[in-house]
């Protein structure tokens, strides 16, 4: 379908998945995860499809290891990373992409490794660097880096320049408690790795 149809479809699924765990489960059971990932892949040039697709995948992955695994199995991680790469200058894509990756990397060594393999660390760091004035990009970006640094990716994050990005984010938004918590957790984990 057209990019406009895909964007509206991803937006509708995002809204349905935001409502409740039951709605998230119903959207997933009806094939919503695969539909979003396919739509993002088919319309990589549409920032709107990428924004709403990232938001839909984040909502679908929220609070469920099973649905997070389903997003990964459907190619959702790669779709998010590709969308972020294609729309590096779009703050909305970067914010929602980082938020989706933060949900997908929560407490999962396997999904953290998949994000790293897909180029997710670099995508997050590029987004943070390009949008230093966005507290949301910085907060969610630090969240991804924290989750991944605690799950075997600390050395890769350090090698990619993650400590500098985290320090810059913390300095830019010193009163953002969520960002500070994520930044401190990531920094500790990265500094512990040998």
């Amino acid at each position: 379908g057209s990019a406009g149809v895909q964007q509206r479809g991803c937006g509708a699924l995002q809204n349905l998945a935001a409502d409740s765990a039951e709605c998230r489960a119903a959207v997933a059971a009806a094939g919503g995860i695969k539909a979003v990932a396919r739509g993002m892949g088919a319309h990589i040039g549409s920032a709107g499809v990428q924004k709403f697709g990232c938001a839909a995948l984040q909502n679908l992955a929220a609070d469920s290891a099973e649905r997070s695994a389903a997003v990964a199995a459907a190619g959702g991680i790669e779709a998010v990373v590709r969308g972020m790469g294609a729309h590096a200058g779009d703050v909305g894509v970067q914010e929602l992409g980082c938020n989706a990756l933060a949900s997908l990397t929560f407490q999962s060594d396997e999904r953290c490794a998949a994000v790293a393999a897909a180029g997710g660390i670099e995508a997050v760091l590029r987004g943070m660097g390009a949008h230093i004035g966005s507290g949301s990009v910085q907060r969610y970006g630090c969240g991804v880096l924290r989750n991944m640094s605690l799950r075997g990716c600390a050395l890769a994050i350090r090698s990619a320049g993650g400590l500098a990005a985290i320090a810059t984010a913390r300095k830019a938004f010193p009163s953002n408690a969520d960002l500070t918590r994520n930044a401190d957790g990531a920094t500790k984990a990265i500094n512990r790795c040998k």
Side-chain angles (χ1 to χ4, degrees), residues 56-109:
L57 293 177
Q58 187 280 323
N59 286 350
L60 287 161
D63 304 324
S64 170
E66 181 181 332
R67 283 192 309 276
S68 292
V71 169
I77 289 170
E78 294 82 1
V80 170
V81 172
R82 280 192 307 269
M84 291 175 71
H87 300 280
D90 189 302
V91 69
V93 173
Q94 299 307 306
E95 173 188 344
L96 296 169
C98 285
N99 195 13
L101 293 177
S103 287
L104 289 164
T105 56
F106 185 68
Q107 296 184 342
S108 171
D109 293 353

Short mmCIF file of all heavy atoms in Angstrom, two decimals, residues 56-109:
data_model
loop_
_atom_site.label_atom_id
_atom_site.label_comp_id
_atom_site.label_asym_id
_atom_site.label_seq_id
_atom_site.Cartn_x
_atom_site.Cartn_y
_atom_site.Cartn_z
N ALA A 56 4.69 2.07 17.36
CA ALA A 56 3.86 0.87 17.45
C ALA A 56 4.67 -0.30 17.99
O ALA A 56 4.20 -1.03 18.89
CB ALA A 56 3.26 0.53 16.08
N LEU A 57 5.89 -0.50 17.48
CA LEU A 57 6.72 -1.60 17.95
C LEU A 57 7.09 -1.42 19.42
O LEU A 57 7.12 -2.39 20.18
CB LEU A 57 7.96 -1.76 17.08
CG LEU A 57 7.69 -2.22 15.64
CD1 LEU A 57 8.99 -2.26 14.84
CD2 LEU A 57 6.98 -3.56 15.60
N GLN A 58 7.36 -0.18 19.82
CA GLN A 58 7.67 0.07 21.23
C GLN A 58 6.48 -0.30 22.11
O GLN A 58 6.62 -0.99 23.11
CB GLN A 58 8.06 1.53 21.45
CG GLN A 58 8.57 1.84 22.85
CD GLN A 58 7.47 2.02 23.88
OE1 GLN A 58 6.42 2.58 23.60
NE2 GLN A 58 7.72 1.55 25.08
N ASN A 59 5.29 0.16 21.72
CA ASN A 59 4.10 -0.16 22.52
C ASN A 59 3.84 -1.66 22.56
O ASN A 59 3.48 -2.21 23.60
CB ASN A 59 2.87 0.57 21.96
CG ASN A 59 2.87 2.04 22.27
OD1 ASN A 59 3.68 2.53 23.06
ND2 ASN A 59 1.99 2.78 21.64
N LEU A 60 4.02 -2.33 21.43
CA LEU A 60 3.79 -3.77 21.39
C LEU A 60 4.80 -4.54 22.23
O LEU A 60 4.46 -5.56 22.84
CB LEU A 60 3.82 -4.26 19.93
CG LEU A 60 2.58 -3.86 19.13
CD1 LEU A 60 2.85 -3.95 17.64
CD2 LEU A 60 1.38 -4.72 19.54
N ALA A 61 6.03 -4.06 22.30
CA ALA A 61 7.06 -4.73 23.09
C ALA A 61 6.96 -4.43 24.58
O ALA A 61 7.48 -5.20 25.40
CB ALA A 61 8.44 -4.31 22.58
N ALA A 62 6.29 -3.35 24.93
CA ALA A 62 6.26 -2.89 26.32
C ALA A 62 5.76 -3.98 27.27
O ALA A 62 4.74 -4.62 27.02
CB ALA A 62 5.37 -1.65 26.44
N ASP A 63 6.51 -4.17 28.32
CA ASP A 63 6.10 -5.03 29.43
C ASP A 63 5.87 -6.49 29.06
O ASP A 63 5.13 -7.19 29.75
CB ASP A 63 4.83 -4.48 30.10
CG ASP A 63 5.01 -3.05 30.57
OD1 ASP A 63 6.12 -2.70 31.01
OD2 ASP A 63 4.05 -2.26 30.47
N SER A 64 6.49 -6.96 27.97
CA SER A 64 6.30 -8.36 27.60
C SER A 64 7.52 -8.91 26.91
O SER A 64 7.83 -8.52 25.77
CB SER A 64 5.08 -8.51 26.68
OG SER A 64 5.02 -9.82 26.15
N ALA A 65 8.19 -9.83 27.56
CA ALA A 65 9.35 -10.49 26.94
C ALA A 65 8.90 -11.28 25.72
O ALA A 65 9.60 -11.32 24.71
CB ALA A 65 10.04 -11.40 27.95
N GLU A 66 7.72 -11.88 25.78
CA GLU A 66 7.21 -12.67 24.66
C GLU A 66 6.96 -11.80 23.43
O GLU A 66 7.37 -12.15 22.31
CB GLU A 66 5.92 -13.39 25.07
CG GLU A 66 5.33 -14.26 23.99
CD GLU A 66 4.04 -14.93 24.43
OE1 GLU A 66 3.86 -15.17 25.64
OE2 GLU A 66 3.22 -15.21 23.55
N ARG A 67 6.29 -10.67 23.63
CA ARG A 67 6.03 -9.78 22.48
C ARG A 67 7.32 -9.11 22.00
O ARG A 67 7.50 -8.90 20.80
CB ARG A 67 4.96 -8.75 22.82
CG ARG A 67 3.55 -9.32 22.81
CD ARG A 67 2.48 -8.24 22.85
NE ARG A 67 2.69 -7.27 23.92
CZ ARG A 67 2.30 -7.44 25.18
NH1 ARG A 67 1.66 -8.52 25.55
NH2 ARG A 67 2.54 -6.52 26.09
N SER A 68 8.24 -8.81 22.90
CA SER A 68 9.54 -8.26 22.49
C SER A 68 10.28 -9.26 21.61
O SER A 68 10.86 -8.89 20.59
CB SER A 68 10.39 -7.90 23.71
OG SER A 68 9.83 -6.81 24.40
N ALA A 69 10.22 -10.54 21.99
CA ALA A 69 10.85 -11.58 21.17
C ALA A 69 10.15 -11.69 19.81
O ALA A 69 10.82 -11.91 18.79
CB ALA A 69 10.81 -12.92 21.91
N ALA A 70 8.84 -11.52 19.79
CA ALA A 70 8.10 -11.57 18.53
C ALA A 70 8.48 -10.39 17.63
O ALA A 70 8.59 -10.55 16.40
CB ALA A 70 6.60 -11.58 18.80
N VAL A 71 8.69 -9.22 18.22
CA VAL A 71 9.14 -8.06 17.43
C VAL A 71 10.50 -8.37 16.82
O VAL A 71 10.73 -8.12 15.63
CB VAL A 71 9.19 -6.78 18.29
CG1 VAL A 71 9.91 -5.65 17.56
CG2 VAL A 71 7.77 -6.34 18.69
N ALA A 72 11.40 -8.93 17.61
CA ALA A 72 12.73 -9.27 17.10
C ALA A 72 12.62 -10.31 15.99
O ALA A 72 13.27 -10.17 14.94
CB ALA A 72 13.62 -9.78 18.24
N ALA A 73 11.82 -11.34 16.20
CA ALA A 73 11.68 -12.41 15.20
C ALA A 73 11.08 -11.90 13.89
O ALA A 73 11.38 -12.44 12.82
CB ALA A 73 10.82 -13.54 15.77
N ALA A 74 10.26 -10.87 13.97
CA ALA A 74 9.62 -10.31 12.77
C ALA A 74 10.50 -9.32 12.03
O ALA A 74 10.09 -8.74 11.03
CB ALA A 74 8.30 -9.64 13.16
N GLY A 75 11.72 -9.12 12.51
CA GLY A 75 12.62 -8.15 11.88
C GLY A 75 12.43 -6.73 12.37
O GLY A 75 12.92 -5.78 11.76
N GLY A 76 11.77 -6.59 13.50
CA GLY A 76 11.50 -5.27 14.05
C GLY A 76 12.74 -4.50 14.47
O GLY A 76 12.80 -3.28 14.31
N ILE A 77 13.72 -5.20 15.02
CA ILE A 77 14.95 -4.52 15.43
C ILE A 77 15.63 -3.91 14.22
O ILE A 77 15.99 -2.72 14.22
CB ILE A 77 15.90 -5.49 16.18
CG1 ILE A 77 15.31 -5.81 17.56
CG2 ILE A 77 17.31 -4.91 16.28
CD1 ILE A 77 16.02 -6.93 18.30
N GLU A 78 15.78 -4.69 13.17
CA GLU A 78 16.41 -4.19 11.95
C GLU A 78 15.60 -3.06 11.33
O GLU A 78 16.18 -2.09 10.83
CB GLU A 78 16.59 -5.33 10.94
CG GLU A 78 17.56 -6.40 11.39
CD GLU A 78 16.97 -7.44 12.34
OE1 GLU A 78 15.76 -7.37 12.66
OE2 GLU A 78 17.72 -8.32 12.78
N ALA A 79 14.27 -3.17 11.38
CA ALA A 79 13.42 -2.11 10.83
C ALA A 79 13.63 -0.80 11.56
O ALA A 79 13.74 0.26 10.94
CB ALA A 79 11.95 -2.53 10.88
N VAL A 80 13.71 -0.86 12.89
CA VAL A 80 13.93 0.36 13.68
C VAL A 80 15.29 0.97 13.36
O VAL A 80 15.40 2.18 13.12
CB VAL A 80 13.79 0.07 15.19
CG1 VAL A 80 14.24 1.26 16.03
CG2 VAL A 80 12.34 -0.30 15.54
N VAL A 81 16.33 0.15 13.34
CA VAL A 81 17.68 0.65 13.08
C VAL A 81 17.76 1.24 11.68
O VAL A 81 18.34 2.32 11.49
CB VAL A 81 18.73 -0.45 13.31
CG1 VAL A 81 20.12 -0.01 12.86
CG2 VAL A 81 18.76 -0.85 14.79
N ARG A 82 17.18 0.57 10.69
CA ARG A 82 17.19 1.11 9.32
C ARG A 82 16.42 2.43 9.26
O ARG A 82 16.86 3.37 8.58
CB ARG A 82 16.58 0.11 8.34
CG ARG A 82 17.53 -0.98 7.92
CD ARG A 82 17.01 -1.78 6.73
NE ARG A 82 15.67 -2.31 6.92
CZ ARG A 82 15.38 -3.50 7.42
NH1 ARG A 82 16.35 -4.32 7.79
NH2 ARG A 82 14.14 -3.89 7.56
N GLY A 83 15.28 2.50 9.92
CA GLY A 83 14.51 3.75 9.94
C GLY A 83 15.29 4.90 10.55
O GLY A 83 15.28 6.02 10.04
N MET A 84 15.99 4.61 11.65
CA MET A 84 16.81 5.64 12.28
C MET A 84 17.92 6.10 11.35
O MET A 84 18.22 7.28 11.26
CB MET A 84 17.39 5.13 13.61
CG MET A 84 16.34 4.93 14.69
SD MET A 84 17.04 4.18 16.20
CE MET A 84 18.01 5.58 16.83
N GLY A 85 18.51 5.15 10.64
CA GLY A 85 19.59 5.50 9.71
C GLY A 85 19.10 6.31 8.53
O GLY A 85 19.77 7.24 8.07
N ALA A 86 17.91 5.99 8.04
CA ALA A 86 17.36 6.69 6.87
C ALA A 86 16.87 8.09 7.21
O ALA A 86 16.75 8.93 6.32
CB ALA A 86 16.23 5.88 6.27
N HIS A 87 16.58 8.35 8.48
CA HIS A 87 16.01 9.63 8.88
C HIS A 87 16.76 10.22 10.07
O HIS A 87 16.17 10.61 11.07
CB HIS A 87 14.51 9.46 9.19
CG HIS A 87 13.74 8.96 8.02
ND1 HIS A 87 13.34 9.79 7.00
CD2 HIS A 87 13.36 7.71 7.68
CE1 HIS A 87 12.70 9.07 6.08
NE2 HIS A 87 12.72 7.80 6.47
N ALA A 88 18.08 10.27 9.92
CA ALA A 88 18.94 10.75 11.01
C ALA A 88 18.60 12.18 11.44
O ALA A 88 18.77 12.53 12.60
CB ALA A 88 20.41 10.66 10.60
N GLY A 89 18.11 12.99 10.52
CA GLY A 89 17.79 14.38 10.85
C GLY A 89 16.41 14.60 11.43
O GLY A 89 16.08 15.71 11.83
N ASP A 90 15.60 13.55 11.52
CA ASP A 90 14.24 13.67 12.02
C ASP A 90 14.21 13.32 13.51
O ASP A 90 14.36 12.16 13.89
CB ASP A 90 13.30 12.76 11.23
CG ASP A 90 11.84 13.00 11.55
OD1 ASP A 90 11.46 12.88 12.74
OD2 ASP A 90 11.08 13.31 10.62
N VAL A 91 14.01 14.32 14.34
CA VAL A 91 14.05 14.11 15.79
C VAL A 91 12.98 13.12 16.24
O VAL A 91 13.22 12.33 17.16
CB VAL A 91 13.97 15.45 16.56
CG1 VAL A 91 12.60 16.10 16.41
CG2 VAL A 91 14.34 15.27 18.02
N GLY A 92 11.83 13.12 15.60
CA GLY A 92 10.77 12.19 15.99
C GLY A 92 11.15 10.75 15.73
O GLY A 92 10.89 9.86 16.56
N VAL A 93 11.75 10.47 14.58
CA VAL A 93 12.19 9.11 14.28
C VAL A 93 13.27 8.69 15.28
O VAL A 93 13.25 7.57 15.79
CB VAL A 93 12.71 8.99 12.83
CG1 VAL A 93 13.32 7.60 12.59
CG2 VAL A 93 11.59 9.25 11.83
N GLN A 94 14.18 9.58 15.59
CA GLN A 94 15.26 9.25 16.53
C GLN A 94 14.70 9.00 17.93
O GLN A 94 15.09 8.03 18.60
CB GLN A 94 16.32 10.35 16.55
CG GLN A 94 16.98 10.58 15.21
CD GLN A 94 17.56 9.32 14.61
OE1 GLN A 94 18.35 8.61 15.24
NE2 GLN A 94 17.17 9.01 13.37
N GLU A 95 13.80 9.86 18.39
CA GLU A 95 13.20 9.68 19.72
C GLU A 95 12.46 8.36 19.82
O GLU A 95 12.66 7.57 20.75
CB GLU A 95 12.25 10.83 20.02
CG GLU A 95 11.46 10.64 21.30
CD GLU A 95 10.38 11.69 21.51
OE1 GLU A 95 10.40 12.74 20.85
OE2 GLU A 95 9.50 11.42 22.33
N LEU A 96 11.58 8.11 18.85
CA LEU A 96 10.75 6.91 18.91
C LEU A 96 11.56 5.65 18.61
O LEU A 96 11.28 4.58 19.16
CB LEU A 96 9.55 7.06 17.98
CG LEU A 96 8.61 8.20 18.41
CD1 LEU A 96 7.60 8.50 17.32
CD2 LEU A 96 7.93 7.87 19.73
N GLY A 97 12.59 5.78 17.77
CA GLY A 97 13.48 4.65 17.53
C GLY A 97 14.26 4.28 18.78
O GLY A 97 14.35 3.10 19.14
N CYS A 98 14.80 5.27 19.47
CA CYS A 98 15.52 5.00 20.72
C CYS A 98 14.58 4.41 21.77
O CYS A 98 14.95 3.48 22.49
CB CYS A 98 16.19 6.26 21.25
SG CYS A 98 17.68 6.76 20.36
N ASN A 99 13.36 4.91 21.83
CA ASN A 99 12.39 4.39 22.79
C ASN A 99 12.07 2.93 22.49
O ASN A 99 12.00 2.09 23.40
CB ASN A 99 11.13 5.25 22.79
CG ASN A 99 10.25 5.00 23.99
OD1 ASN A 99 10.64 4.37 24.97
ND2 ASN A 99 9.03 5.50 23.93
N ALA A 100 11.87 2.62 21.20
CA ALA A 100 11.60 1.23 20.82
C ALA A 100 12.77 0.33 21.19
O ALA A 100 12.58 -0.76 21.76
CB ALA A 100 11.30 1.15 19.32
N LEU A 101 13.99 0.77 20.88
CA LEU A 101 15.17 -0.05 21.20
C LEU A 101 15.35 -0.20 22.71
O LEU A 101 15.79 -1.25 23.18
CB LEU A 101 16.41 0.53 20.55
CG LEU A 101 16.45 0.47 19.02
CD1 LEU A 101 17.71 1.15 18.49
CD2 LEU A 101 16.34 -0.96 18.51
N ALA A 102 14.99 0.83 23.47
CA ALA A 102 15.08 0.72 24.94
C ALA A 102 14.14 -0.38 25.45
O ALA A 102 14.52 -1.18 26.30
CB ALA A 102 14.76 2.06 25.60
N SER A 103 12.93 -0.43 24.90
CA SER A 103 12.00 -1.50 25.30
C SER A 103 12.51 -2.87 24.87
O SER A 103 12.43 -3.84 25.62
CB SER A 103 10.62 -1.26 24.69
OG SER A 103 9.98 -0.19 25.34
N LEU A 104 13.02 -2.94 23.66
CA LEU A 104 13.44 -4.23 23.12
C LEU A 104 14.69 -4.78 23.79
O LEU A 104 14.89 -5.99 23.83
CB LEU A 104 13.67 -4.10 21.61
CG LEU A 104 12.38 -3.95 20.80
CD1 LEU A 104 12.68 -3.43 19.40
CD2 LEU A 104 11.61 -5.26 20.76
N THR A 105 15.54 -3.91 24.32
CA THR A 105 16.78 -4.37 24.96
C THR A 105 16.61 -4.62 26.46
O THR A 105 17.55 -5.08 27.10
CB THR A 105 17.93 -3.35 24.75
OG1 THR A 105 17.51 -2.06 25.24
CG2 THR A 105 18.31 -3.27 23.28
N PHE A 106 15.45 -4.35 27.00
CA PHE A 106 15.25 -4.49 28.44
C PHE A 106 15.37 -5.95 28.85
O PHE A 106 14.64 -6.82 28.38
CB PHE A 106 13.88 -3.93 28.84
CG PHE A 106 13.64 -3.93 30.32
CD1 PHE A 106 14.37 -3.10 31.15
CD2 PHE A 106 12.71 -4.78 30.88
CE1 PHE A 106 14.16 -3.11 32.53
CE2 PHE A 106 12.48 -4.79 32.25
CZ PHE A 106 13.21 -3.95 33.07
N GLN A 107 16.33 -6.25 29.72
CA GLN A 107 16.54 -7.55 30.34
C GLN A 107 16.61 -8.71 29.34
O GLN A 107 16.03 -9.77 29.56
CB GLN A 107 15.46 -7.82 31.38
CG GLN A 107 15.51 -6.84 32.52
CD GLN A 107 14.52 -7.13 33.63
OE1 GLN A 107 13.55 -7.86 33.45
NE2 GLN A 107 14.76 -6.56 34.79
N SER A 108 17.32 -8.51 28.23
CA SER A 108 17.46 -9.59 27.26
C SER A 108 18.84 -9.56 26.61
O SER A 108 19.11 -8.68 25.78
CB SER A 108 16.39 -9.50 26.18
OG SER A 108 16.65 -10.42 25.14
N ASP A 109 19.67 -10.52 26.97
CA ASP A 109 20.98 -10.63 26.34
C ASP A 109 20.84 -10.85 24.84
O ASP A 109 21.56 -10.26 24.04
CB ASP A 109 21.76 -11.81 26.94
CG ASP A 109 22.14 -11.63 28.39
OD1 ASP A 109 21.92 -10.53 28.93
OD2 ASP A 109 22.64 -12.58 28.99
#
